[in-house]
Amino acid sequence: MKGCEAFMANVKDIATFLMQLDNEGVFDDTTLMESNGRKFYVGRARLNKYLHLAQNIYYAKTSELLFQEPLYAYDNGGVVEVVRENYEMLLKTKTTKTVLLSDDIKVFLKKLFIVLKNADINKLIELSHEDPEWIEKNRFYNKPDQIMNTTGRLQDYKVLYADIIQLMDGMTV
């Protein structure tokens, strides 16, 4: 993976861009809910599910990682820790921050946003739980053991996300 990092997008820019697309409040952080024995804010969880699915779908489509930051197998699905820890800052700066993403990545993220925006949080958690890497790593208690290895699942993801990729390939934005 060394040498590839320069071509990967920064996950904070990806998160900010997704938040900038949100004119309907899908990342609203005022609703608290409980699922799988954990309380969480829906907007934060939703953003992390988008990032989890974006990483996997992009990887299935291109055989390249979208971002280098690790995903952790938390109870309610994959989580990018740096986004979880900086959610408030990302929310505050989403209207003023300039994101540095290629046009191809922006188009990919716009399509993904359109595909996912009407899914409720429970459906997004369910999609996250279908990831075989999440299934494997979620059983661990220690955080270092929960790091998900996306690159080890390319063939699984090509099958798992084939319908979404086909849908997104047929879209224009």
Side-chain angles (χ1 to χ4, degrees), residues 152-169:
R153 300 289 184 167
L154 181 58
Q155 295 310 313
D156 292 330
Y157 296 155
K158 284 182 183 244
V159 172
L160 187 61
Y161 302 115
D163 291 343
I164 294 174
I165 292 169
Q166 184 178 10
L167 175 66
M168 290 172 65
D169 283 349

Side-chain angles (χ1 to χ4, degrees), residues 95-154:
T95 57
T96 58
K97 182 171 174 34
T98 301
V99 295
L100 302 173
L101 299 172
S102 71
D103 289 342
D104 289 345
I105 290 175
K106 286 180 179 179
V107 167
F108 171 81
L109 293 172
K110 285 178 185 177
K111 289 178 179 181
L112 183 77
F113 183 84
I114 291 167
V115 168
L116 299 178
K117 74 178 181 178
N118 292 320
D120 73 15
I121 189 62
N122 292 315
K123 181 62 176 173
L124 292 172
I125 290 170
E126 181 182 315
L127 287 170
S128 194
H129 286 181
E130 291 176 358
D131 179 348
E133 189 63 14
W134 178 87
I135 293 167
E136 171 72 24
K137 298 296 174 78
N138 179 257
R139 61 190 168 98
F140 294 108
Y141 178 76
N142 294 318
K143 192 170 177 179
D145 297 330
Q146 292 177 323
I147 295 174
M148 297 167 63
N149 177 17
T150 302
T151 59
R153 300 289 184 167
L154 181 58

Side-chain angles (χ1 to χ4, degrees), residues 4-47:
C4 291
E5 288 90 3
F7 300 105
M8 285 186 245
N10 178 299
V11 76
K12 288 183 185 178
D13 281 343
I14 293 169
T16 299
F17 185 75
L18 287 168
M19 292 171 114
Q20 290 172 346
L21 294 174
D22 180 17
N23 296 322
E24 300 169 28
V26 297
F27 299 123
D28 177 33
D29 203 34
T30 57
T31 304
L32 186 64
M33 74 173 278
E34 185 174 335
S35 181
N36 299 308
R38 302 282 185 218
K39 287 186 180 180
F40 56 89
Y41 287 98
V42 172
R44 294 170 197 242
R46 188 174 191 87
L47 181 60

